[in-house]
């Protein structure tokens, strides 16, 4: 049986191979190493085609062993896994005491009156929610316990917990915040504690995992739950590449692109940043009509699948935890180094995430020298890449143990997640206080980070869904209303939502 299965794969591989022989031949005549934006519609990379499947990281490991070895230690490599004592970063109570006396973890939510506790029963993790009598502290009046099969989060910042009811996936109401070493309610629960009922959908899961599969019928019914972000989330599906390499069909990648797999460094800067901001930007994701979250593949323009809307405040320094991509693109360094749309990526000119990050290696294992050398590559006398040739701060004062990034990309607590520290990616002249101001100022509206000129219809949907999902501020409805007056053809979008009853 197993053999038949394997044969099937070989035949399928051969067929794909024959089909691609011709174009492969032509690619050998192509001396171009990087692609330009105009290639994007012609499926420059063959694995953008939706017939090419995902194969999983174990396949890649067989030939790219060293990359795999370092990648599994990164936050992305550890972003999602089965719950186990090895995986968990949580601190747990001493188990030999009767459970009511294990006062190590329970946290109390005064709003609901519930206590929460995480504990192991052998190697299985459980989260318990209970109510105890206010007068007689130990009398438990209500209790619910769920087995926790999955931990989400490498623990660089937090571990959150999922439980399942068959194939339906939900979040459990307890999170461990590693930087402070404490348990607390999950982010968002401080406003509305919905207990064990937060449904985990494709949007959430697909930012933290290899490509999951969700049933069409229910948004939190998963047919496939992989175990962590893998290679193919940045390189695209690998089936074709693996088949060709196994047959010994190689490309001299020092001269040519291997068109069977995406190497992000060959993409124009926008498409390259799109790979990272597919996940590193947590705003209001508005899918294009008829599109799904699993439609995006590296090498595509993200705006063809979804747009990411963020609120715009008077004070630009308001930023969210998963906002790296937005903040970075606001830097004068980014804007000054990346101009125009159609240019091919030039590592000696452009400035993207991968000038500083090798995604196969964790930031924890990256010396600050790499980051600081990147700054120096543009900000020193000999460089033509910036007009600013030196730091304005007098040399004697220019001392920080982390170097340039210590002052220009300071660590700070994010606005939306409690108890965590991240680094602001808007590179700028440090504020006098040295700290990011946290007041937002006046709300101005929404903007699509990955599309400077969004379609009015999509913009209206963004305002309406922002109002529904994130913030019931009437300004969002007013903005949608103004757009509707200008674009009456978009009326059906708003009308179908029933949000404008009696407003116009
Ligand atoms: C059977 C061996 C084999 C397997 C399995 C394999 N690769 Fe490769 N890969 C190679 C070889 C050899 C090269 C360099 C020569 C070439 O591209 O033809 C390469 C090149 C690459 C490149 C660089 C392409 C370029 O144009 O710069 C990327 C990216 C890549 N592989 C990713 C992956 C990923 C992701 C997987 C798993 C889905 C994978 N590989 C599985 C053998 C393999
Ligand atoms: C648009 C993509 C996106 C969505 C949607 C999203 N996240 Fe995240 N999340 C991220 C990114 C990126 C980070 C890492 C930010 C960083 O390291 O600064 C993160 C961080 C986290 C962490 C902390 C990981 C660690 O230890 O560093 C947890 C836990 C988490 N998210 C859970 C969730 C849950 C649960 C949902 C859905 C209910 C969700 N996220 C939705 C992108 C997303
Ligand atoms: C978060 C995105 C991301 C993930 C996940 C990722 N890569 Fe890469 N990979 C890149 C980028 C970006 C480059 C280009 C790096 C450069 O040249 O600056 C790259 C380059 C490569 C190359 C080209 C040769 C080289 O050494 O640079 C290979 C091969 C490769 N990756 C294999 C893998 C394998 C195997 C995995 C999984 C174990 C993986 N990648 C996971 C982003 C990623
Ligand atoms: C599929 C979604 C996804 C994509 C695509 C993605 N990331 Fe991530 N990345 C995450 C999440 C989620 C985390 C936090 C994981 C955790 O710690 O649990 C993360 C963590 C990181 C970290 C910090 C963790 C560490 O150990 O270094 C860096 C740096 C990073 N990503 C860079 C990139 C870059 C650069 C790209 C684009 C080439 C990229 N990522 C593409 C989702 C993604
Ligand atoms: C790829 C080149 C490049 C890199 C790398 C780079 N910058 Fe810049 N930087 C620029 C350009 C271009 C400008 C805009 C001014 C100009 O046109 O010369 C700029 C502007 C600045 C400014 C002025 C900001 C403002 O708002 O006016 C500061 C401060 C700065 N950079 C610091 C840094 C630091 C610190 C690093 C490393 C973390 C860094 N840059 C990395 C190219 C770069
Ligand atoms: C101790 C904190 C600190 C460190 C370390 C530091 N800077 Fe600065 N930098 C500043 C401050 C503060 C300013 C703004 C000074 C002003 O506007 O008068 C500044 C300004 C700049 C500017 C804008 C210069 C201009 O002409 O307007 C650049 C570029 C810059 N720094 C780059 C760097 C680089 C590159 C490094 C690392 C080699 C670095 N900085 C290290 C604090 C620091
Ligand atoms: C100028 C260099 C530079 C560039 C460009 C850059 N980063 Fe970073 N990044 C850093 C530094 C420095 C840290 C903090 C490392 C540490 O923990 O000491 C960091 C940390 C991170 C982290 C871990 C969480 C945190 O904030 O500490 C994530 C995630 C991340 N970067 C994502 C990205 C993404 C996505 C991009 C592109 C949109 C990007 N970075 C571009 C320098 C850079």
């Amino acid at each position: 049986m197993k053999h038949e299965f394997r044969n099937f794969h070989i035949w399928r591989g051969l067929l794909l191979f024959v089909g691609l022989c011709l174009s492969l031949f032509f690619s050998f005549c192509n001396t171009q190493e990087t692609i330009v934006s105009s290639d994007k519609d012609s499926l420059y990379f063959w694995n953008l085609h939706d017939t090419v499947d995902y194969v999983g990281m174990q396949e890649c490991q067989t030939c790219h062993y060293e990359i795999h070895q370092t990648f599994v230690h990164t936050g992305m490599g550890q972003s999602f896994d089965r719950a186990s004592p090895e995986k968990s970063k949580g601190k747990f109570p001493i188990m030999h005491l009767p459970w009511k006396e294990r006062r190590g973890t329970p946290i109390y939510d005064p709003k609901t009156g519930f206590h929460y506790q995480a504990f192991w029963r052998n190697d299985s993790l459980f989260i318990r929610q209970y109510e105890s009598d206010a007068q007689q502290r130990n009398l438990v009046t209500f209790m619910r316990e769920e087995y926790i099969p999955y931990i989400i989060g490498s623990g660089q910042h937090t571990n959150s917990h999922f439980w399942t009811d068959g194939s339906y996936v939900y979040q459990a109401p307890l999170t461990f915040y590693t930087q402070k070493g404490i348990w607390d309610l999950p982010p968002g629960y401080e406003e509305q504690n919905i207990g064990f009922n937060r449904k985990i959908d494709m949007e959430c899961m697909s930012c933290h995992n290899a490509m999951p599969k969700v049933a069409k019928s229910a948004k939190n019914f998963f047919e496939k739950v992989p175990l962590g972000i893998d290679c193919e989330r940045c390189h695209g599906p690998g089936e074709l590449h693996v088949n060709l390499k196994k047959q010994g069909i190689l490309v001299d990648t020092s001269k040519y692109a291997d068109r069977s797999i995406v190497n992000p460094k060959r993409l124009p800067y926008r498409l390259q940043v799109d790979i990272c901001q597919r996940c590193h930007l947590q705003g209001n994701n508005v899918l294009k009509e008829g599109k799904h979250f699993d439609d995006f593949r590296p090498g595509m323009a993200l705006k063809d699948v979804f747009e990411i809307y963020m609120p715009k405040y008077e004070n630009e320094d308001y930023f969210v935890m998963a906002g790296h991509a937005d903040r970075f693109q606001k830097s004068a360094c980014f804007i000054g180094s990346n101009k125009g749309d159609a240019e091919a990526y030039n590592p000696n000119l452009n400035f993207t995430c991968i000038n500083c990050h090798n995604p196969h290696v964790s930031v924890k294992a990256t010396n600050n020298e790499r980051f600081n050398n990147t700054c120096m590559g543009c900000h020193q006398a000999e460089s033509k890449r910036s007009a600013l040739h030196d730091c304005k701060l007098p040399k004697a004062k220019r001392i920080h143990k982390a170097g340039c990034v210590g002052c220009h990309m300071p660590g700070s607590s994010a606005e939306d997640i409690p108890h965590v520290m991240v680094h602001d990616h808007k590179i700028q002249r440090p504020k006098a206080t040295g700290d990011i101001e946290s007041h937002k100022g006046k709300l101005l509206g929404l903007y699509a980070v990955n599309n400077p000129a969004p379609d009015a219809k999509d913009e209206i949907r963004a305002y309406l869904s922002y109002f529904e999902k994130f913030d019931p501020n009437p300004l969002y409805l007013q903005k949608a209303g103004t757009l509707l007056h200008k674009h009456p053809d978009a009326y059906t979008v708003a009308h179908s939502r029933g949000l404008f009853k009696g407003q116009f």
Side-chain angles (χ1 to χ4, degrees), residues 26-55:
F26 285 115
S27 83
F28 281 124
C29 313
N30 178 4
T31 53
Q32 187 185 24
E33 197 209 347
T34 53
I35 69 157
V36 294
S37 292
S38 54
D39 288 324
K40 77 170 195 276
D41 297 326
S42 57
L43 293 188
Y44 183 88
F45 287 106
W46 303 320
N47 69 334
L48 285 175
H49 204 281
D50 58 14
T51 54
V52 182
D53 257 346
Y54 293 94
V55 294

Side-chain angles (χ1 to χ4, degrees), residues 395-409:
K395 274 231 162 59
K397 285 196 181 165
R398 209 186 302 161
I399 298 161
H400 191 290
K401 67 176 183 332
C404 322
V405 292
C407 293
H408 290 282
M409 300 182 74

